[in-house]
């Protein structure tokens, strides 16, 4: 059971303009095999399926807690994609646009720039999504989701359950999780290089830091279980988070040392048995905080009338019903 | 952002014994296109992607809140599957089993009944998962997940993102959700008939009632938006929840009239603008409760050593490392 | 554009009883890569996409005409599956079954034999789909389609568009079609051996003959185009249709020599330029008939109330609405 | 069983030139989950699988009849895609092109404009498909189908059988169909905005009107079955067809009020029990016509020699065979 | 480039009889995400894609060499599956079986036991694949592959390229490979418990040992690269190979300490820089052998005439052609 | 079992520069249903699964031998893709790039030309993969594989096991293989036209010739088995290899008449019973060579530091560990 807060875990800067290419790239971090849907669902199922909780309680709690944090990550990725797609095509309300003669083309054929700036169309018959330089980056964003996020990867393949590994063997699952987080880190670093958009990078920088926490957490868990110094493998890939300015700023604030508690109750009290000691990279002391991180308001996603999103009631139709129904 | 509580939304009776066939059937309610992964993910993405929140706030809050409740449903389905699979194969710890001569088969070849009751094996070389009458119902439960739930449907196809519809058009998305919940209800009713296991049916009965709440909620939402009396279509299919004893019992307690609030804060304050008035089936007054429903402890999932779940450290190995490492 | 006739191309004998295992096997002939969905959709798309019709009209017409016949084959496969599934589980109408106390199990736990013969259940709480010996052959038949056909193969994988080859190169597409029909023939022969059910075999025998016509047609087309004696490769596999009694009977009537015309107009007038001369196996003269074959009534698929198919309106609900609405 | 007519249901204007980006967008209407393959196959399977025909004959006939019409829609979508792709790359016949020295590149490297206008190449070694601005919109159109339609969606995912819902419960299936058509309408409206190509828009305008007929038909069916005023939900999304000039023109002619009969016989005689009364949007009287709509000739799809479609016999090869075979 | 030897890497005992359930279980080791197709293809692609060979030559050679060994593992898995399926259904040659009257059923309806022992059928019309207790374990084995192996997993899902990870980052890819091999080991151990068939277990025992070599190799590689004592994590899961008699026997012979060289040339000369030192479990010295391991003849897979595998030329057909062609 | 040689079967010219669009197109030849993964895996599984080797030994050996050659083809395709992607984005080592103030954008925003020529970035925060004109051709090349090949097709769909046909019926499998090679040839010819890049075309020209050998081999095999003159169908499509300069050059050297032996031993001694007589196109005598073709060194794939491929150890991290560990 969860409480859901209407807040976002990261304060994303408003983009200076739409960037549908960056949105397409960021989709990989949502629905790719190393994306946030994968981290969320792997830990979620592992936590549901945990056998022998009494014996291995700190490990159980760690997986539960990280699973809960991952929810905030699919939120962050969605918010970034949506921000990057706001206004990517001209805002034209077909039901309010005077039409030219049937079939007549708009005078100004190319309505959309790349990205589109301002609604146009005038008296003609608009085609607000018609610029293939915009809409062919990720066709589903335009034909499907009204310029918002979807559980698909960066090349249009849907996230699927085969990306979940839940073997029930604790050492195996912890190794998997450590591997998965490192793979996710590699993916984040690459998408970071695929865009210089400050909104996308702010989000990715945040994910690098918090995903880095998860890497260290699973490394520590494996160390507790076996004595192997897994942390010495880090960072994977070998470029430190400190090299990514947006991440470096957050690590300077110590965000990489904190394990938030995604629960107000006294549950998950044994996480500190794993999350403690020095951080393997910079030696700072790790800390469990008995609170969720501070949240930020979700950014506003304005109406996109050209996609009927959310769509008005057509006034002509309303009038018709009023007549027909006498209401 | 979420708080995650280590509780289950429904109090599932302990099964009298393992029932891997029922567990296989119940998987459809997890990863089928009409399963709980679908309801969870559809509303979750729609809530992330909502445009025009100010104008349509009650609708936004409704979708957020139901999305949060769906999380408790994937928990409930998982718990039921896991309970049904506990002990489905004989519990034999290979690392503690004296071996016969290499390659010699166990004397008692068929170790597992259907379902397996007690561990056997003795001095021979055990094959605890070898009964195809058990393990071929759902091979992944044995080769993959250590007798626990997976995000796959009842015939082994993985849940995937193509099951998510998030068009951004509010009326369209609400219609989708109403349809999806009705389809989910049809699926639940069928899986109910596929087993008479009290654990499975207790879980499904609960889902029928709470899924019924979601059906009514989306019907009410469409009614508010358009004036159409969508509730008159109900129930779909035409057999009432009252005909399922496990559901009838819960409806007698009024559970079908309550919209829980999956948030302690004062968020989602406008849900009552939609969830109000009489229930379309029995006319009882609908009610928003400013609290999450009471939770129950998760059932215990004992160790299944034959699957190394969670798996002990092999004592021989530990001794070896002790020698090698001098620790 | 099509006219659709409410008739079946083959007169299927009523099965002596349900046979869900045979129905599962026959699904391969529907949605497998060599199934009838594949033959239908390959030729349909090739006909839509044909370039250079004037130059190669007889080939175009042949593909169009065979595509049309394939429609009757997905009908035949569906009808056979549905017949085999009629009554496979006990017919119990939950809304008319008096219930015992909530949660109480039916006295007679195993309601369904394999296959189920007669409805049972009495006063208890029935579980008509609960026999895993029946419902685990093909779970979707019970959780999904109400004991009817689906566009999936024999192991639960959905038919998909990657099974369509439409290269636009005529020689290539004809070779593909010849190959596809031979692969389909191999599949039919195997499913024939997977059941001795007279209904399934009558259907498969018919498909062997008519699919054999398509094999010969594509062989002749390749021969016209290139001069190669492709027919000499036949039969593939090497067992003649004459060895399958149900097919042999139809070939004794000459059904393998007839190219029906799936159009009343004078379209497709040039098919005879390809479909002529001796049959490569038995030398009988090939013949184009300017008519569709005689049709047969579709068999009756009775209600399966345990699956709410088609489902009655629940009388209690109706009464409720009558009260509420005053109608 | 079907008769297949070599005609197209809509008279598509010849495009002024190739438009591969529009063709890519239109693929979503073919193989997307809300595309015409889905509407065709859903109703087709539901009609095959209908239980209780005697009791619910008008509903059965309605589904059969709409299924038949959908066939004309996959034709229309294919024809539009093919028209948009005609000539999209330069027409060069490799077997007739004098080659330069091995490996020497064509002088005029960029053979294809966007879209390509006229064949070029001269003495060099042509690369007619080499312009990524053309061929990367939808690679399968060039590597696979010779610039024609395929059963894939707008982002290259194949249509698959999981898009078919056939629950056997009549109310559920009708609700599904109503939902599916609304979803399809949303998709059509979006693809309409993705192009201002008159050919694509003429086709989509036609689909909006006829799909609108199906929406109303399923709404009426649900109303007959339950009394709920489902029609009041329309239009979904809320922009009327009257706002799309190409659709408005057809509705002005009353095309949205006609249920064509896709059968010459007196079958489907009871459709009028559902398709009658006023249209929910403009109140015009609904009408069943005992005939198929008038058809139009399929447009010509000229040879594309650069893709060997349909491909000539290489004269050198023919000469070789003549010598070798003495024929 | 490869040389292919017509030999098998492991000497599999002939099974005492067919075991289609075991064959189905073993498919997971072929086409599952942790199966041998995955290990083969991951290392193969990583070796093709290796950047910076000069700098990291020992790592490159190690991946190349292990990739080559994996080829022998898909052979071993195939051979085991095929052995387990030999004779699983009665051997009846339809073209040589006297037929009863058309449509008459075989007297002895159940031809196949589980597994089938001896061909039957007599004068009737045989149905050699008709025993669902045999053919529904893995339908593709009977409808598709003539009782042999396929690149699918244990529940009928095809192996696919999304199981390949080739990030180009050496540390990441090595971590992936270490993880993949551990996951593969978990899968092998589970399939081992799913059968006590000596043939299957001999094969799996061999894979456990050789897969164990790969685990250690990738652990050593990570250790060389980073200094972390990854080997201390082993074994994963925690049951030692010594507990599996078939594996223990091979480890007693030292097979777990040998890195074979899958190349006769002096290539891969630097592998010893990684494969050296003590084995992390038992401390035995690791050894590179400049030779491929000794091979064994492939077992014989006899004809299965009931599946036309490989299929005779039908004598009647031959006679016909002789007459027709005068040859 | 195989020996693996660290050599490439074709001597590919170094490209004059990166060509990511060509690399994307060539992916179809890797993972498309007609790609080299398909030819490799079809023949590989057929060879593992061959029944009746004694009776049909020449056919068995032919399939084994061609399967082995196909391995060299996935190498060739990979090498070409990798060459085309070398340097496609600017080479910037993030860990060595001085950073500007956190979040500050690089002055020179567009770092990558199409294709990118030289590393830039200076003091700013680089975004080396940020040019969507480069990275959106095939997103996985940049987010996933570090600019190298993957087992996916040209539109991002993974190769999968459903592309393998292994029916066990020899005539059927040979027909399949003949068809598959012709389909592969059609695909090669189209990708050839999709690029004029000399590296891609050299590779494709080679594949056309060697794939042509396989076409003739399977045609000959069918001819031996049945007497049909399958070779007369060739070429499919009808443009001769002689029309492709890169292929013509190789055929002028006779490469199309040679069956290499992918084995040093005296295995596969009976291939000559099939591979003999005149080539069906130009009548040259066919020849079996008891050797593998000469190999060429793999081209060098330089480091791509912007993708951390292969990735250096971050010096700061190393220093940190040195301090921490005292090593």
């Amino acid at each position: 059971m969860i409480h859901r807060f209407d807040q976002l875990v990261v304060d994303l800067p408003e983009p200076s303009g739409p960037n549908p290419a960056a949105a397409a790239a960021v989709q990989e971090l949502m629905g790719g095999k190393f994306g946030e849907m994968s981290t969320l669902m792997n830990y979620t199922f592992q936590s549901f399926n945990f056998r022998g909780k009494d014996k291995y309680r700190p490990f159980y709690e760690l997986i539960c807690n990280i699973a809960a944090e991952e929810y905030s990550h699919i939120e962050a990725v969605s918010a970034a994609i949506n921000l990057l797609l706001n206004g990517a095509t001209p805002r034209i309300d077909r039901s309010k646009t005077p039409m030219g003669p049937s079939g007549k083309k708009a005078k100004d054929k190319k309505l959309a720039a790349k990205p589109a700036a301002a609604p146009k169309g005038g008296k003609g018959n608009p085609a607000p999504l018609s610029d293939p330089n915009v809409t062919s980056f990720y066709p589903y964003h335009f034909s499907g989701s009204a310029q918002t996020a979807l559980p698909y990867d960066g090349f249009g393949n849907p996230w699927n359950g085969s990306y979940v590994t839940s073997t029930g063997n604790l050492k195996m699952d912890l190794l998997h999780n450590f591997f998965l987080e490192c793979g996710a880190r590699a993916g984040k670093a690459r998408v970071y290089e695929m865009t210089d958009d400050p909104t996308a990078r702010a989000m990715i920088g945040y994910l690098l830091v918090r995903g880095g926490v998860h890497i260290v957490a699973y490394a520590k868990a494996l160390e507790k279980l076996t004595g192997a110094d897994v942390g010495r493998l880090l960072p994977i890939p070998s470029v430190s988070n400190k090299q990514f300015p947006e991440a470096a700023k957050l690590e300077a604030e110590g965000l990489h040392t904190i394990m938030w508690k995604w629960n107000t109750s006294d549950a998950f009290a044994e996480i500190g048995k794993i999350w403690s000691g020095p951080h393997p990279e910079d030696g700072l002391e790790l800390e469990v905080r008995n609170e969720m991180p501070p949240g930020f308001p979700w950014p506003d996603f304005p109406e996109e009338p050209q996609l009927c999103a959310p769509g008005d009631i057509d006034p002509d139709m309303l009038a018709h019903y009023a007549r027909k129904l006498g209401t």
Side-chain angles (χ1 to χ4, degrees), chain A residues 153-200:
Chain A
D153 75 9
F155 208 175
N157 284 316
W159 186 88
N160 75 77
S162 79
Y163 298 162
V164 170
T165 293
S166 175
T167 72
N169 179 263
L170 180 57
K171 215 199 297 182
M172 184 66 222
D173 285 352
L174 290 172
L175 174 63
H176 166 269
N177 298 352
F178 177 74
F179 151 73
L180 176 64
E181 288 286 353
C182 291
R185 185 172 188 273
K188 288 163 195 166
R190 292 200 179 155
V191 176
Y192 183 94
E193 307 294 16
M194 289 174 86
T195 180
D196 56 8
D197 184 282
T199 302

Side-chain angles (χ1 to χ4, degrees), chain A residues 9 39 56 63 80 113 164-165 215 217 221 228 236 251 267 275 282-283 290:
Chain A
V9 78
T39 48
Y56 293 108
I63 292 172
V164 170
T165 293
I215 291 175
I236 298 177
E251 299 214 343
W275 190 257
D282 57 16
N290 276 314

